[in-house]
Amino acid sequence: MSTFGDIVTAVLFLAGAASCLLGALGLIRLPDLPARLQAATKPQTLGLLLILIGTTIRVESASAVTLALVVLFQLLTAPVISQIVARSAYRTGTLRRDELVIDELAERMSRDDAGDAAPGGSAGDSGRRSTF
């Protein structure tokens, strides 16, 4: 491989490792769940993507396609998992609602609770939207 390719790969590996390290430090140092979710998803995803791009430069094209699928899977699943964890924390009371600046989920949950309490209302009503 060329010297230029080696330099680009090394820079991508170092940037990816630094991003993962900052994300790990954020998980340890940040005070609340929303901030920790931010640290767990964004820098970790960026770090993995940079490392996989650096690896793609070093391997043959057949393996590069597999790495592209890993990138796609990571980009699709990380935000969804973060959203599910945040909603679970919100619904169980683990998340302190008084610290939230904007609480859009409270109104939706109160509407859903009112819909469940209404006569004839059930979880399978077609008129209600899912909260997920």
Side-chain angles (χ1 to χ4, degrees), residues 12 19-20 28 31 87 95 103 109 123 132:
L12 288 170
S19 180
C20 288
I28 295 169
R87 281 186 184 242
L95 181 67
D103 189 2
M109 285 182 59
F132 283 90

Side-chain angles (χ1 to χ4, degrees), residues 1-77:
M1 178 162 248
S2 69
T3 305
F4 178 73
D6 291 339
I7 292 171
V8 170
T9 301
V11 168
L12 288 170
F13 283 166
L14 289 173
S19 180
C20 288
L21 178 64
L22 290 174
L25 289 174
L27 281 173
I28 295 169
R29 301 284 300 170
L30 292 173
D32 57 353
L33 182 72
R36 287 183 180 177
L37 282 173
Q38 174 81 13
T41 54
K42 301 234 165 100
Q44 299 292 348
T45 302
L46 175 65
L48 178 65
L49 295 179
L50 290 173
I51 290 170
L52 289 175
I53 290 169
T55 304
T56 303
I57 294 171
R58 304 288 296 177
V59 298
E60 63 270 354
S61 61
S63 297
V65 172
T66 303
L67 293 175
L69 290 175
V70 172
V71 167
L72 178 66
F73 183 71
Q74 179 69 21
L75 289 174
L76 292 175
T77 59

Side-chain angles (χ1 to χ4, degrees), residues 33-34 37 81-91 95 105:
L33 182 72
L37 282 173
I81 291 170
S82 176
Q83 180 76 11
I84 290 171
V85 169
R87 281 186 184 242
S88 296
Y90 186 91
R91 289 176 184 264
L95 181 67
L105 191 56

